[in-house]
Amino acid sequence: MAVNLLNYDGKSLVDFCTEIGEKPFRARQLLRWIHQFGIADFDLMSDLAKGLREKLAEQAVIELPSIMSDYAAADGTRKWLLSVGAGNGIETVFIPENSRGTLCISSQVGCALACTFCSTGKQGFNRNLTVAEIIGQLWLANKMLETCSDDAKSQTKRAVTNVVMMGMGEPLANFENVVTALDLMLDDHAYGLSRRRVTLSTSGLVPAIDRLRERCPVALAVSLHAPNDMLRDQLVPINKKYPIKELLAACQRYLSVAPRDFITFEYVMLDDVNDSVAHARELVKLVQGIPCKFNLIPFNSFSDSGYKRSSAEAIRVFRDVLMHAGLIATVRKTRGDDIAAACGQLAGQVKDKTHRLTRLKIETVQ
Ligand code: SF4
């Protein structure tokens, strides 16, 4: 059976080349063709000998998720709904900003962690994505941004300069596949992204944070969302297994290994739940001594969420308390609201949208 080369990092490609009787340096050529140049057709890999191309065509494929829909929001945000087979859909979101373009990548179909404010969490867990399905999101985004129309180009920052593993799923619950994909993102022969421009966001799987520390130097974001265990137990149920004290100790250990600079703490702003001045003050005490930044995320409502977004004033006051205490705190701009692409609205709604798309007979792109 043909193997999907998109599942392989540099080392596995060397093993594959050796198995088919080729020199190891061919792996580097393949990596470049597949990931740097975005070529999925062996015939177009012009510096590979014809015999090797024929061998590859017999024994390998480069198989990507298929794009079911491609939305562009008024603010330039792009969202792709991707099919990964058996009726499963995931979303990938590209957010253009002045000096960068950030791609938000999914790691699982659904999620088992059931954070109570998250639409994906409400769907339950279906399966882990393969390496090909994870890195394929970056491959496809680069391709789609490269081929967008002139009109779209003028509105959209095209290049993916940053990646956040912050889409559907808990990335550390799909550890090996996610780390292999991260290795490809950082590999100079593949995507060559700087470790500072690749961020993994976790809800706090402590043993996996420790494993990541040993394996991969990417930036770490932690979904904190509450300043004490009683509240965090309600919002992020995995807290019952790995309470805040253990989580923050893992963050300290993560930062103890060079080269790592700070932890980003994400904090979703929920009206009358976790957004008071007292909560902000508690938070300041909690993170004392940890090099960190806060990203305050206005909640994006979805049906049956049971929560409301904090008022702009409450968010401003909360941020000011953190900043007056010397912490760096930014409020995330809500992006792509008109295409339901903002955080918390990611592919947890895929099934609904898939049905809607079928009804509307929106054409598939690929
Ligand atoms: S917030 Fe993240 S970890 Fe929590 S349920 Fe949603 S996808 Fe899973």
Side-chain angles (χ1 to χ4, degrees), residues 47-66:
D47 63 355
L48 301 185
K50 189 157 182 282
L52 171 54
R53 280 185 267 150
E54 285 168 359
K55 230 189 268 184
L56 288 170
E58 278 166 22
Q59 301 189 35
V61 290
I62 296 167
E63 200 169 272
L64 292 141
S66 57

Side-chain angles (χ1 to χ4, degrees), residues 111-115 117-118 120-121 167-170 203:
C111 183
L113 298 194
C115 301
F117 55 85
C118 172
T120 303
M168 189 177 186
E170 163 54 58
S203 56

Side-chain angles (χ1 to χ4, degrees), residues 13 40 112 130 141 149 153 173 187 192-193 236 264-265 276 283 299 352:
L13 269 181
T130 64
S149 71
K153 274 182 203 168
D187 189 324
L193 292 169
V236 185
T264 300
F265 289 117
S276 70
L283 211 48
F299 175 64
D352 285 350

Side-chain angles (χ1 to χ4, degrees), residues 158-195:
R158 292 167 65 234
V160 175
T161 60
N162 294 55
V163 169
V164 289
M165 296 297 311
M166 208 177 277
M168 189 177 186
E170 163 54 58
L172 290 182
N174 182 12
F175 190 90
E176 288 303 331
N177 291 349
V178 164
V179 168
T180 302
L182 293 174
D183 287 343
L184 282 165
M185 292 173 201
L186 303 184
D187 189 324
D188 283 342
H189 298 295
Y191 296 92
L193 292 169
S194 141
R195 64 177 176 80

